Amino acid sequence: DAGVTQSPTHLIKTRGQHVTLRCSPISGHKSVSWYQQVLGQGPQFIFQYYEKEERGRGNFPDRFSARQFPNYSSELNVNALLLGDSALYLCASSYETAGANVLTFGAGSRLTVL
Amino acid sequence: AQSVTQLGSHVSVSEGALVLLRCNYSSSVPPYLFWYVQYPNQGLQLLLKYTTGATLVKGINGFEAEFKKSETSFHLTKPSAHMSDAAEYFCAVRYGSSNTGKLIFGQGTTLQVKP
C-alpha cells in the first residue's frame, strides 16, 4: 500500500513568490495535517483538516493557507515567501483526529527560499 | 504553555551500549505520548506510543519507553545500540483536551552510534 505521498520533494523559490505543496494521504485516511520543520528543530503544527473542514490551526501567519479536496488530498499554500519559510514541510495523514490516533508522515517537501 | 523537552540535543553511544533518550512534558494531565524517528532525507516513522494502561511500552527495532506520571517523563531506551539506530529522535505529545490531531514535538535528539 502506498504511504503518504508529497510533491514536489524539493523546490527553490525567491522571496515574495508563492508556493503550493501537495499531499496524498493513505487510502482510507480522512484527516491530513501539515507541519513545518526548520533545520535543527522539531516539527511545528500548521494545519489539520478532516473531511474537508479545518479542525485546527497553529501559530502561523495568514500567508499560510490550506485546503482538503473531496478525495482527501490536500494542498498547503504559502504566499509572499520569506527567507524564514525555508524548511521541510511534512504532511501526515490519519483515519481520525484526536486521542491516541497515530499520524503517518510523508517524506516531506523541502522548500528553500532565496 | 504546553511543551515537550528533550534533554540533550546530541547523544553518542558505542555500538552495543545502552541507549537512553530523555523526554519530559509539561502537564499534570497525562497526555498521549509518542516517539518518532527520522532518518536523513526521510519523514517521521513511529517507534511507539503510550495511550493508557501498561506504563512500559514496547516499540519497533527493540526500543521501549516508560511513562512515569510522577516525573512527567517518557524516556526512550534500547538495551543494545546498533549502527542502524543512528538518526534523529523526536518525542511528541497530544493532550486529551485537544480536539485536533495536533502533536507538540520536542526539539529532537540526534543519536550517534560509534563502532
Side-chain angles (χ1 to χ4, degrees), chain B residues 42-105:
Chain B
Q42 295 188 27
L44 303 173
Q45 179 183 7
L46 180 72
L47 280 175
L48 49 80
K49 68 175 182 179
Y50 170 78
T51 55
T52 59
T55 56
L56 183 63
V57 180
K58 295 187 183 298
I60 62 171
N61 302 336
F63 284 94
E64 61 183 34
E66 186 172 10
F67 168 61
K68 292 187 176 180
K69 181 179 178 180
S70 61
E71 299 177 6
T72 60
S73 69
F74 190 55
H75 302 331
L76 181 71
T77 60
K78 182 174 181 177
S80 177
H82 191 273
M83 296 297 290
S84 61
D85 295 328
E88 185 86 13
Y89 291 80
F90 292 96
C91 179
V93 303
R94 177 187 293 130
Y95 289 95
S97 60
S98 170
N99 61 359
T100 75
K102 174 182 177 181
L103 287 178
I104 301 171
F105 283 88

Side-chain angles (χ1 to χ4, degrees), chain A residues 1-17:
Chain A
D1 288 340
V4 178
T5 57
Q6 294 186 241
S7 62
T9 55
H10 295 81
L11 67 166
I12 300 174
K13 295 285 188 178
T14 58
R15 283 177 296 175
Q17 285 189 314

Side-chain angles (χ1 to χ4, degrees), chain A residues 10 33 35 37 40-45 48 55-56 88 90 97-108 110, chain B residues 32 34 36 38 41-46 49-51 88 90 94-96 98-108:
Chain A
H10 295 81
S33 301
Y35 287 78
Q37 186 180 15
Q41 297 183 19
Q44 297 288 317
F45 174 74
Q48 186 197 42
R55 281 294 186 91
L88 180 67
L90 295 165
T97 57
N101 206 36
V102 172
L103 299 186
T104 301
F105 285 83
R110 185 166 298 281
Chain B
Y32 300 101
F34 305 82
Y36 281 88
Q38 186 176 35
N41 301 313
Q42 295 188 27
L44 303 173
Q45 179 183 7
L46 180 72
K49 68 175 182 179
Y50 170 78
T51 55
E88 185 86 13
F90 292 96
R94 177 187 293 130
Y95 289 95
S98 170
N99 61 359
T100 75
K102 174 182 177 181
L103 287 178
I104 301 171
F105 283 88
Q107 292 286 79

Side-chain angles (χ1 to χ4, degrees), chain A residues 43-88:
Chain A
Q44 297 288 317
F45 174 74
I46 310 176
F47 286 109
Q48 186 197 42
Y49 278 78
Y50 180 74
E51 292 276 21
K52 297 174 288 180
E53 293 188 358
E54 183 182 300
R55 281 294 186 91
R57 172 186 286 256
N59 187 25
F60 281 82
D62 292 344
R63 299 184 295 106
F64 289 76
S65 64
R67 56 180 175 169
Q68 186 177 33
F69 300 99
N71 66 354
Y72 303 114
S73 67
S74 178
E75 283 183 354
L76 175 70
N77 295 281
V78 187
N79 292 323
L81 286 167
L82 303 174
L83 296 179
D85 295 330
S86 295
L88 180 67

